[in-house]
Amino acid sequence: MNTELSLNAAVDVAIIGAGPSGAVAAALLRKAGRSVLVLERQHFPRFSIGESLLPQSMAYLEEAGMLQAVVEAGFQYKNGAQFVHREQTSAYDFRDKHSAGWGTTYQVERAAFDDLLIRCAAQQGADVRFGHTVLAMKTGDAPVLDVTDEAGNRYEVHARFVLDASGFGRVLPRLLNLEAPTRMPTRAAIFTHVRDGIPVDTHDRNKITVAVHPGHRDVWYWMIPLANGRSSVGCVAEAAFLDVPEAEREAKLRTLIQSEPTLNRLIGHAPFLMPVRHIGGYSANVERLHGPGFALLGNAGEFLDPVFSSGVTIALRSAHLAVKTLERQLNGETVDWQQAYDVPLRKGIDAFRAFVERWYTGELQDIIFYPDQTPSIRRMISAVLAGYAWDETNPYVADPARRLNALHELCRQ
C-alpha cells in the first residue's frame, strides 16, 4: 500500500490544532455540510492550562452541538469569581449581569475537556489525525499544507481554506512570519494541582478565587476548584519575579501560597499532585488575523493574559465568527475578512485588554474592591468578567478604557 497516497487529502477546510477553537470550528463546519480535516501534533488527552471557563463560552458549545456532552461530563460547576486582597473580598455572581445569556459554566481539567470536544467533532464527521505536524503552507485561493506523521510519512493536504487553531504552538504565525509585538509586558506563571481537602461549607467551590499578593499588587494567584477534590493553583507575575531554577519551583510556589492569607488557610499545606510547571512569554499578537486562504483562531492570533480566564472564550468566539465568515465565502460571496472577522473579534479582545491593563496598574482592583458599588455598574462589570466582551449595549464594552478611567476617578473621590 502506498502510505503517502493514502494520507493525501482534499477537503473543504483544514484545521491545524484540535483544541477548543479547532474542535468547535470543525463541528460548526460539519453542521454546514463541509468536509473537515483536523491535524493535531500531539495526542489527546494532554495537559493544558486555562481551566476556568466563562459563561459566554456556553453559547458557542451549544451552537456546536457539544453542550449536552459538557454538562454531563461531571465538571465542577462555576457561577462567578471571588477576588481577595489582604482582608478585602469581593465576589461577583455571573448570573447577576448586564448582558443576556448564560450566567454559569464549568471549571474543567483541560485534558478531559479538550478531548471531549474533539471527540464530539469527530462524531459529527470531522477527520481528526493525531500525531500529524504541519511543516509548511502554500497560501492562496487553493492552499496546500505540507504535513508529516510520526512515522515520517510526508503528504499534502489540499483545502479550500485553512484555519489555524494551534494555540500557543502558533503554527502559521511562525511559518508565515506573521508575529507582531505585543503590548503586554512579559509575564510568567508557575502552577500545579493540589489535593485541596477543603471542608464542605467553608469555601465556595463554585467560584474561581483571584488573590492579590499582599505586598505586590501586580502579582496575583488563581485557585480554581475542580471536580474530585482537586484545585488548580498558580501565581502570575513579571517573569523575573518567578525566575528560579526548575528544582526550586515547588518551594517557590509553596512559599508564595503561604504568603497570601486566604490561600494559606485553604491550601497552604495541601499536597501538590504534579510537578510545578512554568509558562512564560505567553502574550502574543499578529499584524492581522487572516490572509490569502487562511485565518487564525484563538491563541494562534492573540493571547492577552490569564487573569480573567478569557482565553477559551476568545478562542470559541473566534471559531464562531470565522466559520460564519468562511461559510459566506465558500458559498461564493466576496468576503472582506478584515471587516467581517478581524475588526469584530478584536473589539472584544480590546475590551478584555482594557480590563487586564487596569488590573495590573491597580485601577481595576480599586474598582472591584470599592465598598459602595452601584448595582447597575456592578452588573456591567460582571458581564465583562463573564465573557460578554462583545455586547456593545454595555458601556464598558463600547468604550472600556474611558469608562473604566472615569469610574476609577469616582472611586478615588
Side-chain angles (χ1 to χ4, degrees), residues 69 96 165 181 183 304 327 346 390 399:
D96 184 18
R183 289 159 47 185
L304 295 174
E327 268 302 296
R346 287 190 195 266
W390 291 269
D399 193 3

Side-chain angles (χ1 to χ4, degrees), residues 30-79:
R30 286 299 303 141
K31 290 181 75 173
R34 306 298 178 182
S35 57
V36 180
L37 172 61
V38 181
L39 301 164
E40 169 57 51
R41 179 175 58 86
Q42 295 182 290
H43 289 272
F44 281 29
R46 53 89 180 97
F47 180 85
S48 182
I49 199 64
E51 297 141 319
S52 193
L53 306 181
L54 300 183
Q56 169 74 95
S57 299
M58 301 294 278
Y60 306 125
L61 296 173
E62 186 171 25
E63 180 186 28
M66 299 173 172
L67 185 60
Q68 181 176 345
V70 171
V71 168
E72 294 179 353
F75 296 121
Q76 169 65 46
Y77 175 79
K78 175 186 176 181
N79 63 22

Side-chain angles (χ1 to χ4, degrees), residues 94 105 108 118 131 135 140 142 157 159 176 181 239 267 279-280 306 315 376 409:
F94 292 158
T105 185
V108 302
I118 196 60
L135 302 175
V157 174
L176 303 178
I267 55 170
I279 182 172
S376 61
E409 281 300 311

Side-chain angles (χ1 to χ4, degrees), residues 160-336:
R160 297 174 66 186
F161 204 82
V162 174
L163 295 174
D164 184 354
S166 60
F168 291 123
R170 298 174 63 75
V171 170
L172 292 188
R174 287 188 296 102
L175 293 177
L176 303 178
N177 296 315
L178 304 175
E179 302 280 8
T182 175
R183 289 159 47 185
M184 309 301 292
T186 301
R187 296 191 177 94
I190 55 174
F191 53 92
T192 188
H193 284 183
V194 301
R195 175 69 62 197
D196 58 59
I198 300 171
V200 177
D201 299 329
T202 63
H203 178 72
D204 186 354
R205 297 188 70 88
N206 298 332
K207 292 179 174 64
I208 182 177
T209 295
V210 177
V212 182
H213 189 285
H216 303 276
R217 291 188 77 182
D218 62 339
V219 177
W220 63 276
Y221 311 79
W222 75 74
M223 189 184 80
I224 304 170
L226 302 168
N228 303 316
R230 297 167 71 101
S231 283
S232 172
V233 60
C235 181
V236 177
E238 291 205 16
F241 187 83
L242 301 175
D243 186 17
V244 297
E246 184 175 353
E248 299 176 20
R249 284 179 192 157
E250 182 171 334
K252 177 74 171 180
L253 182 56
R254 180 70 71 185
T255 299
L256 285 166
I257 292 171
Q258 293 179 344
S259 71
E260 201 292 308
T262 297
L263 295 186
N264 185 43
R265 173 175 57 83
L266 292 171
I267 55 170
H269 299 281
F272 290 175
L273 297 178
M274 66 183 193
V276 173
R277 298 173 182 246
H278 174 278
I279 182 172
Y282 41 72
S283 295
N285 197 9
V286 289
E287 291 290 351
R288 63 188 190 281
L289 296 173
H290 59 92
F294 70 89
L296 310 178
L297 307 184
N299 296 346
E302 181 166 7
F303 181 75
L304 295 174
D305 190 272
V307 64
F308 299 123
S309 306
S310 61
V312 173
T313 297
I314 292 171
L316 300 190
R317 176 74 178 190
S318 71
H320 162 85
L321 269 178
V323 170
K324 280 179 58 179
T325 306
L326 180 54
E327 268 302 296
R328 291 170 49 204
Q329 179 171 307
L330 294 178
N331 285 330
E333 291 185 42
T334 300
V335 173
D336 182 343

Side-chain angles (χ1 to χ4, degrees), residues 5-17:
L5 286 177
S6 69
L7 289 171
N8 286 340
V11 293
D12 290 325
V13 184
I15 299 175
I16 307 170

Side-chain angles (χ1 to χ4, degrees), residues 83-98:
F83 297 91
V84 178
H85 184 210
R86 297 176 181 164
E87 295 79 30
Q88 297 175 293
T89 62
S90 181
Y92 281 77
D93 188 323
F94 292 158
R95 294 166 295 186
D96 184 18
K97 64 186 188 311
H98 167 86

